[in-house]
Amino acid sequence: MLAAVALPLLGWATATQLAPGLVLALLAGLWMLSSTPFLLPPLLALLLLCLFDVVPSADLIRAASGDAALWALASLILSQAARQSGLLGTLFVHAAGRAAPGSGGRAMGAVIWLALALALLPSPAQAARWSESFRAASGLSLRAGRELSGAAHLLARLAWLPAHPANLVAIGLLPSGGLDRFVALHWLLQVWPLLALALVHGAAAQWLSARPPRHPESAHLISAQIKDRFALHGVAGIGLGLAVMTVLQPFHGQAPGQVALLGLVMLFALRWVPAGRFHPSIDWEVLIAVGLLPGLIAALGFLLPEAAVSLPLAATALPLLLVLRALFPALAAVSLAFVIVVPWTGRLSADLLTTALPVLVSLHIAELVLVCPGAGDRGVGWQGVLQALRRPWTWLWVGAYYLWLGWIP
């Protein structure tokens, strides 16, 4: 009722704009409830938009057949193969063995090994569980373990986009699902200063930490994941090959999803992901979100009034994401931010991938400085944001973000 009164005052004066405005208010309200399953609000919003006949249903689900959805599917299945072959366990054992305070270069090696493992976990929920297992196996203190894991998460999510579904949602917003628009090498050249700072952050966190008694049984549980050495090396080779081919996209011209399709063919042909046995442990919520959220975001964003997109987007992205993360889950927060990005980009006739980059970077920095202990499936609350603002690392990252904004073209 409040939304029906307030939305016309904010610029939704016509019936065509009022309907998506009410849908957006409903979407945000349901996402704020921690007991609401994440996919329920967007599915309900899609249903209402179809019933109101605001947007054709084919436009709402177009991203489900795009390159981003194919890349997400391949990443989820590669993650399952890495778990079954023991590759994930091996990477976590290497990371835990190097996570020792005062170990210098080995400390930085722990961040790299952990980032490699987390890059194979596109599901935030599964990545959070493995990170807690790593902290227990390494014997680091709770604070140091979470700081190191946060730095590794940031490194993985900025270097390898399938490491978080928000990145693929941004790719899905591009025309033709990102085909011929996203170039991984160009992306890495844009974010490499932040990758270097993440390495320093993780190494410093463990170097300065006090180490509690080690729990070797935790490391044993992780190393028990190793089963077949041939499969382990084969899955590692496929993953490395896909990463190299994705980076070399300017030379062969194939989109990342098409490259990932080659990896799927090899995984199934070699029976490293047996058909009928990989379904239960795949986080299907990630795939559904990547397929449905881009269409919903585009539909709501293009119907926003012009007054709602008058702020400078890049400069306000990080404060906006910190505020949104106080109230919403991580993927919901960045989706609402993208609802602003889409019309802002259209109004300035800018490239969507360029304007989405600060929003994605802001999300991952916010996840790091908030030291989110869970999977990001709920808002951290205002107390969590206030605690983050009291930490020196937060202000270091805020300064680094604005310096980076001035550095990128």
Side-chain angles (χ1 to χ4, degrees):
M1 184 181 297
L2 290 175
V5 175
L7 289 173
L9 299 177
L10 294 175
W12 279 285
T14 67
T16 305
Q17 291 178 323
L18 182 60
L22 291 172
V23 170
L24 180 59
L26 176 65
L27 182 68
L30 289 177
W31 264 335
M32 290 177 66
L33 302 176
S34 59
S35 59
T36 304
F38 176 79
L39 285 178
L40 175 61
L43 289 172
L44 180 59
L46 289 170
L47 175 62
L48 292 176
L49 288 175
C50 291
L51 291 177
F52 285 138
D53 199 23
V54 175
V55 181
S57 58
D59 293 341
L60 291 173
I61 62 173
R62 183 173 298 169
S65 61
D67 192 69
L70 186 58
W71 202 5
L73 176 63
S75 300
L76 287 166
I77 296 179
L78 178 63
S79 175
Q80 173 63 19
R83 283 195 297 272
Q84 287 186 338
S85 66
L87 175 60
L88 269 179
T90 301
L91 293 174
F92 274 101
V93 166
H94 281 295
R98 288 163 174 78
S103 57
R106 287 173 58 85
M108 193 168 289
V111 185
I112 295 174
W113 281 107
L114 185 57
L116 288 173
L118 294 173
L120 291 170
L121 290 168
S123 166
Q126 294 173 357
R129 289 194 294 269
W130 278 84
S131 295
E132 287 301 310
S133 298
F134 159 78
R135 190 197 62 77
S138 65
L140 290 170
S141 64
L142 180 62
R143 170 61 61 180
R146 286 180 174 172
E147 291 280 358
L148 190 154
S149 296
H153 275 290
L154 179 64
L155 185 63
R157 291 167 178 177
L158 289 182
W160 183 244
L161 293 184
H164 196 278
N167 299 332
L168 294 180
V169 169
I171 300 299
L173 283 168
L174 300 178
S176 301
L179 201 61
D180 299 326
R181 297 292 304 280
F182 167 75
V183 178
L185 185 59
H186 176 70
W187 183 281
L188 291 175
L189 291 176
Q190 295 279 340
V191 300
W192 72 263
L194 299 175
L195 301 180
L197 184 58
L199 277 174
V200 174
H201 182 159
Q206 55 185 310
W207 187 72
L208 297 173
S209 71
R211 190 181 182 88
R214 190 177 180 85
H215 302 287
E217 66 276 6
S218 299
H220 173 71
L221 289 176
I222 293 180
S223 62
Q225 300 288 329
I226 303 174
K227 298 175 182 178
D228 183 351
R229 291 285 177 180
F230 176 69
L232 185 152
H233 293 150
V235 173
I238 290 176
L240 180 61
L242 293 180
V244 172
M245 290 186 67
T246 301
V247 172
L248 296 179
Q249 178 187 352
F251 302 97
H252 56 69
Q254 300 300 313
Q258 296 172 345
V259 171
L261 186 60
L262 173 62
L264 286 182
V265 171
M266 296 179 66
L267 288 172
F268 281 103
L270 295 169
R271 297 185 181 274
W272 287 332
V273 185
R277 293 174 54 190
F278 64 91
H279 313 78
S281 56
I282 287 182
D283 191 346
W284 294 107
E285 185 175 275
V286 170
L287 182 61
I288 296 172
V290 172
L292 296 183
L293 284 178
L296 178 61
I297 292 168
L300 296 176
F302 279 118
L303 294 167
L304 276 176
E306 188 168 317
V309 292
S310 58
L311 293 175
L313 181 64
T316 57
L318 183 54
L320 175 64
L321 263 298
L322 287 172
V323 171
L324 290 176
R325 278 299 282 121
L327 302 171
F328 302 101
L331 192 53
V334 77
S335 297
L336 294 174
F338 281 144
V339 170
I340 302 174
V341 169
V342 168
W344 192 91
T345 303
R347 186 166 69 92
L348 297 182
S349 300
D351 181 59
L352 181 58
L353 188 59
T354 301
T355 55
L357 177 60
V359 176
L360 291 174
V361 169
S362 297
L363 171 70
H364 301 316
I365 290 178
E367 293 295 287
L368 170 60
V369 301
L370 291 172
V371 196
C372 301
D377 56 353
R378 62 185 182 278
V380 300
W382 295 112
Q383 185 177 1
V385 175
L386 292 175
Q387 288 177 353
L389 294 177
R390 298 190 190 105
R391 287 192 288 267
W393 274 114
T394 298
W395 296 106
L396 172 65
W397 276 104
V398 169
Y401 171 76
Y402 285 105
L403 287 174
W404 172 76
L405 279 183
W407 174 77
I408 59 174

